[in-house]
Amino acid sequence: KVKVIVFDKTGTLTKGKPEVTDILSAGLTDEEEIMTIAASLEKLSEHPLADAIVKYAEEETIPLTEVQNFRAIPGHGVEGVLNGKKYFVGNRKLVIDFVGIDSVAVEKMERKIRKLEESGKTVMILASEHEILGLVAVADTIKETTVEAVRKLQERGLEVYMITGDNRRTAEAIARQAGIKNVLAEVLPEEKANEVKKLQGTGLKVAMVGDGINDAPALAQADLGIAMGSGTDVAMETGGIVIIKNDLRDVLTAIDLSRETMSKIKQNMFFAL
């Protein structure tokens, strides 16, 4: 009976192994210093994008510094103190709402940020308490099976959505690559389940496909939760179906199998009667 299928982006539609592609300085801070600060902060974070920054720093043998007063701000970024100075790494909202840097300063970097986002990259801003120091762009590529799986689901008459915490420009660039028209962008982790609920409110049966800890409430809220086998234990515990091989085409297989099973049940009932 499922009519709508919602895919989480990172680790579900994409490989979930993002890589650092660009480092841009906004002032006097050089690239190595930007990466030292960013990687030192992100080392304490659990986000896949944080892993990409730390991995890059390790590969380039960039020294890390000890961080005090570390704090993760879900859906926004992280903050911490290095050598007595407070730094932030995150999205626009973090820099404007939590740091209090004038939006005009963000506007100055907007052209560079937009260019990176339009090519499907996620941009993280590194800032001190007073100014923006630089940008780090990270890209995550879509899985080889994503386009085929999405196309076949749409051919079966299912409406496909992508849900992500990414800003709209990056989200739409990835959705275009995957062939998805419906994009739910800038969704905070705790709001994913609400977005599923809104779709259910239209009277449709909704399936949610995800792999992370923050997908678990949405998997539970959906009429059908489908977890990726490579995901977190809590996602697999919550999902009604677990895709072992991590191949999105198996979502289609599950739906086809369920339809064939129902048709067989109806046949059996008919013959039994």
Side-chain angles (χ1 to χ4, degrees), residues 28-171:
L28 302 172
T29 318
D30 65 24
E31 286 184 12
E32 187 166 321
E33 197 179 341
I34 288 168
M35 286 310 293
T36 297
I37 299 165
S40 298
L41 282 166
E42 295 288 22
K43 194 170 174 65
L44 301 171
S45 171
E46 293 172 351
H47 199 279
L49 298 180
D51 280 350
I53 291 177
V54 175
K55 192 177 163 197
Y56 180 88
E58 285 169 356
E59 285 169 357
E60 298 294 320
T61 60
I62 292 169
L64 302 188
T65 310
E66 196 181 329
V67 176
Q68 273 94 35
N69 303 338
F70 173 83
R71 181 167 76 108
I73 304 159
H76 294 87
V78 296
E79 65 171 61
V81 176
L82 280 82
N83 303 324
K85 280 184 77 175
K86 197 172 197 179
Y87 294 99
F88 303 83
V89 181
N91 54 24
R92 287 180 187 76
K93 285 181 181 172
L94 175 87
V95 171
I96 295 168
D97 300 348
F98 287 84
V99 187
I101 286 177
D102 191 342
S103 56
V104 175
V106 179
E107 288 297 319
K108 282 183 183 173
M109 300 296 290
E110 190 61 33
R111 191 178 62 82
K112 289 177 182 174
I113 294 171
R114 187 183 295 126
K115 199 174 174 185
L116 293 165
E117 287 174 346
E118 282 169 355
S119 59
K121 295 171 184 175
T122 301
V123 180
M124 285 173 281
I125 303 169
L126 171 66
S128 66
E129 288 182 282
H130 313 291
E131 60 180 340
I132 292 173
L133 303 174
L135 307 174
V136 180
V138 175
D140 188 6
T141 52
I142 63 170
K143 290 176 183 169
E144 293 81 0
T145 57
T146 294
V147 176
E148 186 189 342
V150 167
R151 180 175 51 78
K152 286 186 173 173
L153 286 164
Q154 288 166 338
E155 283 170 3
R156 295 287 196 289
L158 288 152
E159 215 172 322
V160 179
Y161 281 75
M162 182 181 92
I163 193 165
T164 177
D166 281 351
N167 73 80
R168 184 149 294 279
R169 266 198 297 267
T170 304

Side-chain angles (χ1 to χ4, degrees), residues 2 5-7 12 149-150 153 158 207-210 224 226-228 241-243 246-258:
V2 166
I5 193 152
V6 181
F7 285 98
T12 303
V150 167
L153 286 164
L158 288 152
M208 168 76 192
V209 188
L224 170 65
I226 303 175
M228 304 307 288
I241 295 174
V242 178
I243 304 292
N246 228 22
D247 185 335
L248 285 182
R249 288 173 299 191
D250 286 342
V251 173
L252 182 75
T253 306
I255 289 168
D256 283 349
L257 189 60
S258 72

